[in-house]
Amino acid sequence: MLTMNIRFDAAQIAKAFGELQQEHPNVMAQAINDTTREVRDAQVAEIRDRFDNPTAFTLRALRTTFASRTKLQAMVWLKDGTSRAHYLLPQIEGGNRPLKRFEEILVQAGLMRKNERAVPGAAAKLDAYGNMGRGQIVQILSQLQAFNLAGSDANATSSKRSKAKRSKVEYFVAHGGESRQGRGSWKHGDKMQHLRRGVWARYRFSAGSAVKPVLLFVNGTRYGRRFDFVGTAQRVIDARFKSHYEQRMQKQLAKLGLATGGQGA
C-alpha cells in the first residue's frame, strides 16, 4: 500500500489568492487599456483608408481616456465629440455636414440659407488637402462686409473696401435669378442675375472682365456612413481583449507564485 503525504501551506495560498483578488481590478484595467490602444490605432488606420489624403488635424481628431482600477472603463471618441457640429459625425452616423464657421457667417449675413452648404467652385484656391484657403475666405467675407454684419472686428475698413473696388478680383453674391442683384455687391444693381447661387469672382482685364464661381450654394451635403467607427472598435475588442486579459493575468499569477510551474512562497 502506497501512502502519499502532500503538505502545503494553506495560509500562504489563501494569502496569495487574497492578493490576487485585490489586484484583479488592476489586471482588468491593464487589459482594457491594452485593447483601447489597439482600438485607437485601428481607428486611425481606418481614417487613412477611408479618407482621401486626410489632414494631420483629422488624424489627431480622436481623444482617448484610459481605465483605472476604480473605473473599469476606457473610451476612444472624437475630440469635442459631444458637440453635434463635429465635422466627422456625419461620416460616422450619416446625415448633413454641419455648417463651417464661414458658412455660419454667410447665413447670419443673409447671404446663404440655413439648409445650404458652400462647395468650392472653379475659382476657389484649394490647399494640398482639397480645403479652401483661409486667406481667400477672409478676403471674400471682408469684401462682402459679412464680417461686419456678423459682428466681427475683422471687417474691411473703408480704405480697404475702396481698394477692393479697384482690385482686379471682386467678389459678389449671385442669387440664381431670384432677385435683381447687381455686380459688386448683393445690394445694388438692376439686372436680373442668371448665375448659379453662390459667391462669384469678377476678374478685370484691360479689355474687359470675366466671372468665375468661387463658392456654389447647394442644398445640403449629405453623407452616407463612410467611417465604420463602431464596427472597427468592436472587431478589435472581440479579437484582442481575451488575449490581453490572459497575458496580464499570467503576469500577476507569476508575481504571486501561482502561475503554472511557479514556486510557492
Side-chain angles (χ1 to χ4, degrees), residues 226-263:
R226 183 180 180 187
F227 182 9
D228 187 15
F229 189 95
V230 176
T232 298
Q234 194 61 55
R235 284 190 291 273
V236 174
I237 293 168
D238 292 345
R240 300 295 295 151
F241 176 74
K242 182 180 178 181
S243 174
H244 285 308
Y245 175 78
E246 290 175 348
Q247 291 173 11
R248 290 293 185 176
M249 180 59 76
Q250 285 298 320
K251 289 182 180 180
Q252 188 61 45
L253 290 173
K255 287 181 180 179
L256 299 174
L258 297 174
T260 302
Q263 298 296 321

Side-chain angles (χ1 to χ4, degrees), residues 67-82:
S68 66
R69 63 171 293 128
T70 58
K71 186 177 181 180
L72 296 176
Q73 178 181 339
M75 181 178 68
V76 178
W77 188 227
L78 305 173
K79 293 178 181 177
D80 300 322
T82 54

Side-chain angles (χ1 to χ4, degrees), residues 51-264:
F51 297 94
D52 182 25
N53 195 21
T55 65
F57 181 79
T58 295
L59 291 172
R60 295 194 301 266
L62 301 178
R63 178 170 62 90
T64 306
T65 58
F66 293 102
S68 66
R69 63 171 293 128
T70 58
K71 186 177 181 180
L72 296 176
Q73 178 181 339
M75 181 178 68
V76 178
W77 188 227
L78 305 173
K79 293 178 181 177
D80 300 322
T82 54
S83 170
R84 299 303 302 175
H86 197 287
Y87 71 99
L88 280 179
L89 272 179
Q91 307 283 356
I92 296 172
E93 301 177 350
N96 285 326
R97 170 176 66 75
L99 288 168
K100 297 179 181 179
R101 176 56 184 153
F102 79 88
E103 291 174 321
E104 291 178 348
I105 294 174
L106 291 173
V107 171
Q108 292 168 9
L111 307 179
M112 191 175 81
R113 301 170 187 150
K114 289 183 179 179
N115 67 325
E116 290 181 324
R117 299 296 184 270
V119 298
K125 298 177 182 178
L126 305 180
D127 61 20
Y129 301 102
N131 299 317
M132 194 166 173
R134 174 173 171 77
Q136 189 177 30
I137 290 174
V138 170
Q139 187 179 18
I140 290 169
L141 296 178
S142 181
Q143 282 199 25
L144 297 180
Q145 301 181 22
F147 274 134
N148 187 43
L149 292 170
S152 170
D153 59 3
N155 57 296
T157 63
S158 297
S159 60
K160 287 182 179 179
R161 280 195 288 272
S162 298
K163 184 178 180 180
K165 291 180 181 179
R166 298 192 303 270
S167 173
K168 292 183 179 180
V169 181
E170 186 179 340
Y171 298 104
F172 66 96
V173 175
H175 292 266
E178 294 177 356
S179 60
R180 295 182 181 274
Q181 306 287 337
R183 77 188 220 181
S185 75
W186 63 96
K187 294 180 179 178
H188 305 294
D190 57 3
K191 293 182 179 180
M192 185 71 75
Q193 288 182 347
H194 298 286
L195 300 174
R196 288 182 59 185
R197 286 181 56 77
V199 177
W200 290 70
R202 176 177 286 104
Y203 299 89
R204 299 186 182 282
F205 310 100
S206 57
S209 65
V211 296
K212 291 184 179 181
V214 183
L215 293 168
L216 295 174
F217 300 160
V218 299
N219 290 325
T221 304
R222 189 169 185 83
Y223 296 106
R225 294 184 179 182
R226 183 180 180 187
F227 182 9
D228 187 15
F229 189 95
V230 176
T232 298
Q234 194 61 55
R235 284 190 291 273
V236 174
I237 293 168
D238 292 345
R240 300 295 295 151
F241 176 74
K242 182 180 178 181
S243 174
H244 285 308
Y245 175 78
E246 290 175 348
Q247 291 173 11
R248 290 293 185 176
M249 180 59 76
Q250 285 298 320
K251 289 182 180 180
Q252 188 61 45
L253 290 173
K255 287 181 180 179
L256 299 174
L258 297 174
T260 302
Q263 298 296 321

